[in-house]
Amino acid sequence: MLASKLYSPTLREIPADAEIASHQYMLKAGMIRKNGGGLYSFLPLGRRVELKIEAIVREEMDNIGAQEIMMPIMQPAEIWHESGRWNAYGPEMFKLEDRHGNHFCLGPTHEELITTLVRNELRSYKQMPVTLWQMQNKYRDEIRPRFGLMRSREFVMKDAYSFDVDEEGLHKSYQDEYDAYTRIFTRCGLNFKPVEADSGQIGGNHTHEFMALAQAGEAEIVSCTKCDYAADIEKAVPQTVEMPAEDAKDVELIETPNCSTIEDLAQFLHIPVEKTIKAVAFTIDGEKTVLCMVRGDHEVNDVAVQNFVGGNV
């Protein structure tokens, strides 16, 4: 095809809502166009990039024996009620009702659907292990779509699901996927790091996220320069530092005028902030209040609170 025939409308002016470089460049180069908050069309150049990435993913999934399928975007509510996640998933789930009064959702993920699909078909351990995967649109009603494609309401996700005979087989399938992702991101030329992560609504007790390291992003990670430990900020566990023992003093009531933060308090009392304790309140499911006590120089991890007490913060 002649370049003169290419549909690639470029921009001179950067839209005001394009905050980060990747979003600005994709708009200016005519790769994507915004259709609404968190909704984008891929133009020919953007679609070609997407297809090349999909080809890499498909090759690496073939290499580990995973089989590609395609599941519907719209999912019946009953399978989500069965798993207990219809209400637990929260306001990010797009819910709808058809003309007959049947309830559905636009899939934010596909664990319920893949389980429903195979539970009546895999009848013997001799049929396992099997890994099924897809590249399919996902929908999440983000409270604040931003940064272009980084946080949007509609996006393409590659998701894979393994069914194994035992836990040993599960670990092998997990490692196969881990190695495949490593090869995928390496072939894409990304500077990335696998980190331990919270599994969120998807569940499980062993989760990694592959983070592309960049100045602009949606997550923060911590990593050790002396070992292989790395985790996102929601999963990371701080190293406990023992404080030197001190003699207990008599309890004393002290007025602290104009001390609205723990830093103000520490400065007013002339004590190190790490020798203070602060209380942070959370409302769970809009019904009950949970009070968390942490050291003054620490921050409460709201994801950890949610996992510990259940419900949504």
Side-chain angles (χ1 to χ4, degrees):
M1 186 186 72
L2 296 175
S4 60
K5 300 295 184 181
L6 177 65
Y7 180 69
S8 180
T10 57
L11 295 178
R12 289 187 179 181
E13 301 296 329
I14 298 174
D17 62 344
E19 303 176 41
I20 62 173
S22 60
H23 191 193
Q24 295 171 0
Y25 291 147
M26 293 182 77
L27 288 169
K28 289 188 70 174
M31 299 178 74
I32 61 173
R33 282 294 180 268
K34 182 177 180 179
N35 302 116
L39 302 171
Y40 289 87
S41 292
F42 282 77
L43 305 187
L45 285 178
R47 180 59 178 156
R48 285 177 65 85
V49 172
E50 191 176 35
L51 290 173
K52 288 184 177 183
I53 296 172
E54 288 181 5
I56 293 173
V57 172
R58 193 165 279 113
E59 286 178 14
E60 295 300 339
M61 288 298 101
D62 288 345
N63 287 339
I64 63 172
Q67 302 174 66
E68 186 174 2
I69 62 173
M70 179 66 79
M71 291 179 282
I73 291 169
M74 194 165 71
Q75 304 180 27
E78 53 262 30
I79 64 175
W80 285 80
H81 284 299
E82 185 177 350
S83 70
R85 296 206 300 174
W86 179 257
N87 294 320
Y89 205 91
E92 288 186 358
M93 179 187 284
F94 280 105
K95 299 178 181 179
L96 61 152
E97 181 179 334
D98 70 9
R99 67 182 68 189
H100 305 294
N102 299 312
H103 294 273
F104 298 86
C105 71
L106 299 182
T109 186
H110 275 73
E111 287 81 25
E112 278 78 4
L113 197 55
I114 188 66
T115 305
T116 303
L117 181 67
V118 305
R119 63 182 172 185
N120 295 322
E121 308 293 340
L122 291 179
R123 298 185 177 91
S124 170
Y125 70 93
K126 295 181 180 179
Q127 296 174 275
M128 295 184 281
V130 60
T131 297
L132 305 175
W133 73 279
Q134 66 170 358
M135 276 185 281
Q136 176 61 288
N137 286 18
K138 298 289 191 293
Y139 295 85
R140 296 177 186 175
D141 190 7
E142 297 287 353
I143 190 171
R144 188 189 171 197
R146 56 179 178 159
F147 297 160
L149 303 180
M150 194 175 296
R151 181 165 293 279
S152 55
R153 288 190 169 99
E154 179 185 59
F155 56 94
V156 178
M157 178 190 286
K158 175 267 167 187
D159 42 329
Y161 308 90
S162 74
F163 299 87
D164 302 278
V165 174
D166 52 25
E167 194 154 341
E168 182 180 353
L170 167 65
H171 290 308
K172 181 184 183 305
S173 294
Y174 188 97
Q175 190 61 48
D176 286 345
E177 291 288 340
Y178 184 100
D179 294 340
Y181 280 128
T182 301
R183 293 191 296 269
I184 288 168
F185 294 125
T186 300
R187 291 178 62 182
C188 288
L190 294 174
N191 179 22
F192 68 94
K193 180 183 285 291
V195 302
E196 294 181 12
D198 182 78
S199 56
Q201 294 293 345
I202 293 176
N205 53 19
H206 190 59
T207 302
H208 285 89
E209 290 182 354
F210 285 74
M211 297 285 193
L213 305 180
Q215 293 299 317
E218 278 289 283
E220 294 180 329
I221 66 171
V222 294
S223 61
C224 179
T225 58
K226 299 179 181 179
C227 65
D228 294 331
Y229 179 78
D232 72 10
I233 203 70
E234 295 176 346
K235 181 70 173 181
V237 178
Q239 184 178 3
T240 302
V241 178
E242 293 293 335
M243 301 289 289
E246 297 182 14
D247 294 332
K249 296 181 179 180
D250 295 334
V251 176
E252 184 180 356
L253 183 63
I254 301 176
E255 291 191 18
T256 55
N258 302 318
C259 293
S260 57
T261 68
I262 201 73
E263 289 78 12
D264 293 339
L265 177 66
Q267 187 175 4
F268 179 80
L269 297 177
H270 303 291
I271 58 174
V273 69
E274 61 268 21
K275 290 188 177 182
T276 64
I277 294 176
K278 61 183 176 184
V280 182
F282 291 91
T283 301
I284 307 300
D285 292 332
E287 298 177 353
K288 62 180 179 180
T289 299
V290 173
L291 194 65
C292 302
M293 312 292 288
V294 295
R295 213 172 75 178
D297 59 334
H298 288 181
E299 297 296 329
V300 179
N301 184 336
D302 56 344
V303 174
V305 173
Q306 184 169 291
N307 291 340
F308 184 78
V309 303
N312 295 308
V313 173

